[in-house]
């Protein structure tokens, strides 16, 4: 796939190793959930490397110095329900002061089109760095619609983080929203006829929550 501006595939060996365990059909719910959170921490570390800092005065036991801290601290983490919930605590571990919004979307099993059932975002959304999280970017319908909602509510500075993407979904999200940064843990081969990612990991929501 050609290189796209604002798209970052995070090929760190720790992320790749953990994704491989996620893919294994024998990985159970507890381990799966823990891995999703750990991968979110590792991806968040990379995706937040451009957070603005400002120098503040700190007195060490030795002397007073000017030293950088995160400026503003206005961040919103927005999981796409349900599976995105699994990534929230990983990002909160990095930025505990972040507020959390929610967007509820489900894919119609026949048409694969996303349907909204919930949207609640922290104010002032236009002043926040917004990190949208969802482990799976398949057709890209849910991701593109979630970003549409956030923009309609005034969101401007948006990052999208997914653990596995299909080329089709990545292209769709990037073309719909070329202004947002998209962080991908692994770019998989393709979608199958049911719009599941191949090789993928199956249904992320079901594997996180133990449903079927
Ligand atoms: C999954 C996944 C994404 C979406 C990706 O959610 O978590 O939100 O599918 O597919 P797309 O890119 O083709 O839109 P799903 O609709 O299964 O809902 P769930 O998380 O509640 O199980
Ligand atoms: N949603 C999932 O959870 N998995 C896929 O492979 C595609 C959409």
């Amino acid at each position: 796939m050609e290189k796209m501006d604002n798209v970052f595939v995070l090929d760190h060996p720790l992320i790749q190793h953990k994704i491989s365990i996620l893919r294994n059909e024998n990985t159970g719910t507890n381990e799966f959930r823990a891995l999703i959170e750990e991968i979110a921490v590792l991806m968040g570390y990379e995706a937040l490397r451009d957070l603005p800092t400002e120098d503040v005065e700190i007195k060490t036991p030795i002397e007073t110095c000017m030293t950088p801290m995160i400026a503003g601290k206005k961040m919103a983490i927005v999981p796409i329900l349900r599976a995105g919930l699994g990534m929230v605590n990983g990002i909160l571990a990095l930025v505990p002061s972040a507020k959390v919004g929610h967007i509820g979307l489900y894919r119609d099993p026949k048409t694969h089109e996303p349907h909204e059932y919930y949207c609640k975002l922290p104010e002032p959304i236009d002043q926040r760095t917004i990190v949208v999280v969802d482990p799976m970017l398949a057709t890209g319908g849910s991701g593109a619609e979630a970003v549409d909602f956030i923009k309609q509510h005034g969101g401007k500075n948006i990052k999208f983080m997914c653990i596995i993407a299909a080329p089709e979904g990545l292209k769709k999200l990037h073309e719909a929203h070329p202004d947002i940064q998209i962080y991908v843990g692994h770019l998989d081969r393709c979608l199958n006829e049911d719009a599941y990612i191949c090789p993928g990991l199956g249904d992320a929501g079901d594997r996180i929550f133990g449903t079927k």
Side-chain angles (χ1 to χ4, degrees), residues 107 136 138 195-197 202-205:
R107 279 199 329 176
M136 309 305 276
Y196 273 84
I197 301 175
D203 188 305

Side-chain angles (χ1 to χ4, degrees), residues 22 32-41 43 76-92 99-107 117 131-137 142-143 146 159-164 201-209 211:
L22 278 185
F32 192 92
R33 203 184 290 134
L35 283 162
I36 291 274
E37 193 173 315
E38 288 167 22
I39 293 168
V41 175
M43 292 187 68
I77 306 166
V78 181
I80 302 179
L81 306 180
R82 292 174 300 164
L85 287 173
M87 298 174 72
V88 172
N89 283 346
I91 310 297
L92 277 176
K99 301 289 187 280
V100 181
H102 295 87
I103 294 184
L105 291 173
Y106 71 90
R107 279 199 329 176
Y117 59 89
V131 183
V132 183
V133 290
D134 191 332
M136 309 305 276
L137 185 66
S142 305
K159 295 171 185 283
F160 189 97
M161 206 183 289
C162 62
I163 295 179
I164 296 183
L201 49 70
D203 188 305
D206 283 345
R207 293 196 67 188
I208 290 171
F209 296 108
T211 49

